[in-house]
Amino acid sequence: MANSLFQPIQLGNLQLSNRIVMPPMTRSRASQPGNLANEMMATYYGQRASAGLIVAEGTQISPMGQGYAWTPGIYSPAQIAGWKKVTDQVHAKGGHIFAQLWHVGRVTHPDNIGGEQPISSSALKAENVKVFIDNGSDEPGFVDVVEPREMTHDDIKQVLAEYHQAALNAVEAGFDGIELHAANGYLVNQFIDSEANNRSDEYGGSLENRLRFLDEVVATLVDAIGAERVGVRLAPLTTLNGTVDAKPEETYTAAAALLSTHKIAYLHIAEVDWDDAPDTPESFKRALREAFDGVLIYAGRYNAESAEQAISQGLADMIGFGRPFVANPDLPERIKNGHPLAAHDPNTLFGGGEKGLTDYPCFETK
Ligand SMILES: Cc1cc2nc3c(=O)[nH]c(=O)nc-3n(C[C@H](O)[C@H](O)[C@H](O)COP(=O)(O)O)c2cc1C
């Protein structure tokens, strides 16, 4: 069973032992102050090193790029040192790990970004979106996001420089590559989706213009560390964090074609986040396959059977299993042997310590 999931695959210059991806999952356990990856996170990722590829949790590229309290960064020397502990553990166990580079744009609150006003493609507030803050005085908790200001050309230049440096930092920290988080309503997504972008310059309006920021970010990442170490995550059909496109299939097929010209290692499609997206039509998946030449990863409520089917139909090359990896550190082994999967505790997903992070056991044959 599930044979195609266990065929090796080449990703950039890496040879991966299976097609199972642990997709990025924010767990909000970075050490404070400083938003540092730590020993506990190193143990957690090391336990999951049998995935063909791990994409580590969203990691802010700058203080302004942070949306939630307690998420890790990759812009300070101490953060690079923290991540080195993680990548060392994963590599010691024969695994491969990419960093997910994250700028949240408007999905934040001044308390998370040193009192500044958030930045976005446009001065449009995301409606009904909340973020988690810990401002030191009150109880940590969820608050509404605020109206952002439209990024100037200088802001755009600065954020491009931050992506460039973050990619270099990721390689210095021992990551095998980086995944640009262009999904789930965060900054790059705020440029792509028509209803989040009302700019009148060359970054807004036409589809070509709305893809320009993505194009420039990817170009600078490729310039920094090479196309073979760059992946991109897109979420075409979700409306997460209030980010909506009027014609998502057209927009994202064009985005896939654009990314193909950069010859990046992979395109990662987030189909669902939690349970809130429509099914991705097969015709759209075929269009994405046609548009993009590299490795295609899909994630969103897959199980062993549906993953196997997606790969053997030729629609996907690798499959991400998010929530299943939380409670099953040995997920590939369980899938291979048809062992039952443990359920995760939803109360320990975000924040806290080792409980719900590193204490899920491997399957025991009695
Ligand atoms: C706790 C949690 C945190 C997540 N954090 C991120 C994140 O940092 N970046 C991202 O792109 N997706 C994130 N996701 C989405 C997952 O990568 C994945 O796409 C989603 O869980 C659907 O896959 P699943 O049904 O196999 O869990 C998160 C999901 C969960 C459950």
Side-chain angles (χ1 to χ4, degrees):
M1 206 205 70
N3 282 333
S4 60
L5 278 174
F6 293 94
Q7 278 162 14
I9 183 167
Q10 174 124 8
L11 184 83
N13 294 333
L14 304 173
Q15 191 67 29
L16 307 182
S17 58
N18 63 56
R19 285 145 185 265
I20 296 172
V21 177
M22 177 179 171
M25 282 184 289
T26 292
R27 304 302 307 274
S28 310
R29 283 164 167 90
S31 294
Q32 302 304 320
N35 298 317
L36 313 172
N38 51 41
E39 294 289 350
M40 177 171 71
M41 291 161 63
T43 302
Y44 162 71
Y45 285 111
Q47 288 169 339
R48 288 154 181 78
S50 63
L53 177 70
I54 294 173
V55 184
E57 63 209 85
T59 295
Q60 58 267 8
I61 60 167
S62 64
M64 277 296 279
Q66 179 167 6
Y68 310 83
W70 309 335
T71 58
I74 192 145
Y75 51 86
S76 75
Q79 290 166 344
I80 296 170
W83 279 118
K84 187 84 177 60
K85 297 177 191 168
V86 173
T87 61
D88 279 350
Q89 286 238 13
V90 171
H91 290 147
K93 296 189 173 171
H96 295 101
I97 182 165
F98 274 41
Q100 191 185 44
L101 300 188
W102 196 16
H103 194 304
V104 299
R106 68 182 182 178
V107 183
T108 190
H109 182 275
D111 280 6
N112 283 334
I113 52 175
E116 299 283 323
Q117 184 180 12
I119 54 173
S120 183
S121 57
S122 306
L124 294 171
K125 181 172 175 271
E127 293 305 332
N128 304 317
V129 173
K130 290 185 186 293
V131 292
F132 188 79
I133 59 166
D134 176 10
N135 59 18
S137 50
D138 302 310
E139 281 287 288
F142 283 93
V143 293
D144 287 326
V145 299
V146 302
E147 185 175 305
R149 63 177 179 82
E150 176 174 311
M151 288 168 77
T152 63
H153 281 200
D154 280 348
D155 291 323
I156 290 176
K157 275 197 200 112
Q158 182 176 336
V159 172
L160 289 172
E162 289 167 1
Y163 275 113
H164 189 94
Q165 188 59 47
L168 293 172
N169 293 351
V171 169
E172 187 183 336
F175 283 104
D176 297 297
I178 64 93
E179 175 176 291
L180 172 66
H181 195 347
N184 296 357
Y186 299 113
L187 182 62
V188 183
N189 203 168
Q190 291 157 29
F191 276 84
I192 299 173
D193 282 7
S194 59
E195 309 310 293
N197 181 343
N198 65 4
R199 295 179 76 97
S200 54
D201 65 1
E202 70 272 30
Y203 293 95
S206 68
L207 175 54
E208 188 187 353
N209 283 356
R210 285 186 284 112
L211 294 178
R212 191 176 311 283
F213 185 62
L214 170 71
D215 187 30
E216 292 181 356
V217 174
V218 173
T220 199
L221 295 172
V222 166
D223 178 55
I225 60 171
E228 71 285 358
R229 291 197 284 201
V230 173
V232 172
R233 188 169 224 214
L234 299 173
L237 300 183
T238 62
T239 55
L240 199 75
N241 289 318
T243 303
V244 179
D245 190 72
K247 296 181 187 161
E249 297 195 20
E250 180 186 331
T251 297
Y252 284 90
T253 306
L258 171 74
L259 293 173
S260 205
T261 66
H262 286 285
K263 306 207 173 331
I264 57 168
Y266 72 81
L267 174 57
H268 189 173
I269 302 290
E271 289 182 76
V272 217
D273 197 90
W274 308 103
D275 298 319
D276 63 349
D279 283 340
T280 314
E282 193 177 316
S283 56
F284 181 32
K285 290 187 180 172
R286 296 214 178 273
L288 291 174
R289 175 59 107 186
E290 194 132 307
F292 184 73
D293 282 335
V295 168
L296 251 183
I297 305 173
Y298 281 90
R301 297 173 71 191
Y302 280 88
N303 59 32
E305 287 71 30
S306 57
E308 167 73 18
Q309 198 185 14
I311 292 176
S312 49
Q313 282 181 323
L315 295 173
D317 300 302
M318 300 183 77
I319 296 292
F321 295 85
R323 287 162 287 187
F325 253 117
V326 171
N328 299 277
D330 54 343
L331 183 68
E333 206 46 32
R334 292 199 197 207
I335 291 177
K336 194 185 242 172
N337 296 313
H339 289 147
L341 301 188
H344 71 266
D345 173 3
N347 299 315
T348 51
L349 282 177
F350 302 106
E354 292 172 357
K355 187 168 181 303
L357 188 76
T358 56
D359 59 353
Y360 290 108
C362 291
F363 187 79
E364 278 188 46
T365 36
K366 303 213 171 81

